[in-house]
Amino acid sequence: MSLKDKNTFDAIVIGSGISGGWSAKELTEKGLKTLLLDRGRDVKHVTDYPTAMHHPWDFPHGGQVPLEVKKEYKIASKNFIFTEATSHFLTKDEEQAYIQEKPYDWIRAYHVGGRSLLWGRHTQRWSDFDFTGPARDGFAVDWPIRYQDIAPWYSYVEKFVGISGNKDGLETLPDGDFIKPYDLSCVEKHFGQVVKNTYPDRHVIIARTANLSQADKIHLSVGRSQCQNRTLCERGCPYGGYFSSNSATLPAAYNTGNLTLKTHAIAHSIIFDENKNKAIGVRVVNALTHEMEEFIASIIFVNASPLATNLILLNSTSSRFPNGLGNDSGILGTHMAFHSYRGRITAEYDGDLAYKTAGKRPTSGYIPRFRNVYKQETDFLRGYASNLSASRIVENAHDLVGESLKQSLLTQKLGNWQINVGMMGETIPKAHSTVRLDKQLKDKYGIPQLRVSVAYDNNDEKMLKDFHEQFTDMYEAAGFKNILAIDTKRLPGNENHEMGGVRMGKDPNTSMLNAFNQMHLCKNVFVTDGSCMTSTSTQNPSLTYMALTARAVDYAIREKKRRNL
């Protein structure tokens, strides 16, 4: 076999995270010999989760990362998920240098599975209120799809992923194909009832989550089993109780016999053949040897994560596309957006003291967006969703160790209920919110460094103020006390929900992708990670990435059969 034959496939997928795993699964199950590129090491399900079964006392530093090690993770260590149990799944700063024109935390996980091992697992569908947002207020461009276009694909991925949730019947948050739900605590239910009675357009529900409250045949077929409610998901779950590429989509892809995985393979750029007027492959830098290699395929799916995908496409230059692949409009790398997690509000409740929480659950309560839904009612655009948790804790237990801790737990000196609500706000994609390549600086692999210029604006400040005001009123109505409104100061990027730069749209002059995530000007390249998003909505985006990916692969296969690719 020649080197060219060895390096030739039907399809190439760049990135193995949530969307890349789905690309690999769908392409291989449809019969395509598929190469999956990941810039990091392999992480095999079960065997490569080193801390998954550790007890707290098994960690040499009590869960804290030593200062000398932490210095290597100045960016990642700002994220709440960074501990002694998870640091091996996060990326050191020196692995890929970038330039912060404005403060930005790029949280990265360079290994097979990527951030699908670390995500929060909330999986709400979008509604037409979300897909029509830009058309209604004129910010960003109109989505080329509506809810009815993606609804069947939501169902398709939900059945495979396993989404726990209730049928809530909310227009703002469409119901899905759910397995049995988790339950709210008594104080969360109390808060929900007060909110329902006081604010008929506001709802407190259990969040939909990608944890197997029950394992059905479709989950068992790839070796997954029921969630054990350990809430240690970010360590990797040996039970496959939560959805990740490693536990679900990649095993399904391997089962076809059509998947080839290449690790330590950093996508440098996409190769464009000007004679054929299409992409023909991907240039890759070997992370171990720094040598360049080329792989050939007729279909390419780019799922490297938003900032990395923008970087790859911007770096894919040719005589035809001097400003990046498919970038005649100059829109590539612009209109970046994210979710704001700056809002938090806590309180106490001295009612329902006859009850306490028992056991754990892998999700929280959820309050869907209620601002600017049916009409523009505030001085800011769009809105926010929120997560809610309420539980009772042992008084002062966090200050105790050893025998004193054991006695405190045994005597169960419980305090008041502690309530916490966190905001997830929609930010507006703007032309000046950009990522672009530096003209001189390169990372250690010879790839141009990314210049990131993304920040909060006045709209975000107004939204934060409204969040604190509205939930203060709602807390007071529920009889909560000691209310504390907090600005977390979390930077853009820190919440892991970056989006945009390669957005979908109807017009090639204002967007990069069509309604099927296909590049307008390079028809055999598809982008289905968060960079494809036209707006951010207030829902967690991962379920939408999955549905868009499955839909795009279906379209690509149909186009291939018609010989349009």
Side-chain angles (χ1 to χ4, degrees), residues 40 55 64 70 90 116 125 153 196 211 220 242 270 314 362-363 368 385 391 404 458 461 499 520 547 556:
H55 298 292
Q64 298 296 312
K70 193 174 181 179
L90 291 157
S116 77
R125 290 187 180 198
W153 296 100
K196 181 179 179 180
N211 289 77
L220 298 172
Y242 77 95
I270 293 171
L314 286 164
T363 188
S391 60
S404 60
N458 191 48
E461 301 296 335
M499 293 177 241
H520 289 300

Side-chain angles (χ1 to χ4, degrees), residues 27 99 101 137 151 183 205 224 230 251 274 287 429 442-443:
L27 288 163
I99 300 138
E101 291 189 345
D137 62 34
D183 200 11
I205 64 173
R224 299 177 65 195
R230 304 189 313 149
E274 297 184 23
K442 298 183 184 298
D443 65 18

Side-chain angles (χ1 to χ4, degrees), residues 41 48-51 73 82-91 110-111 234-235:
R41 62 186 174 88
D48 286 338
Y49 304 150
T51 63
Y73 296 88
F82 184 81
T83 68
E84 197 172 13
T86 60
S87 59
H88 54 281
F89 283 150
L90 291 157
T91 300
Y110 289 160
H111 54 255
E234 65 276 6
R235 301 183 188 182

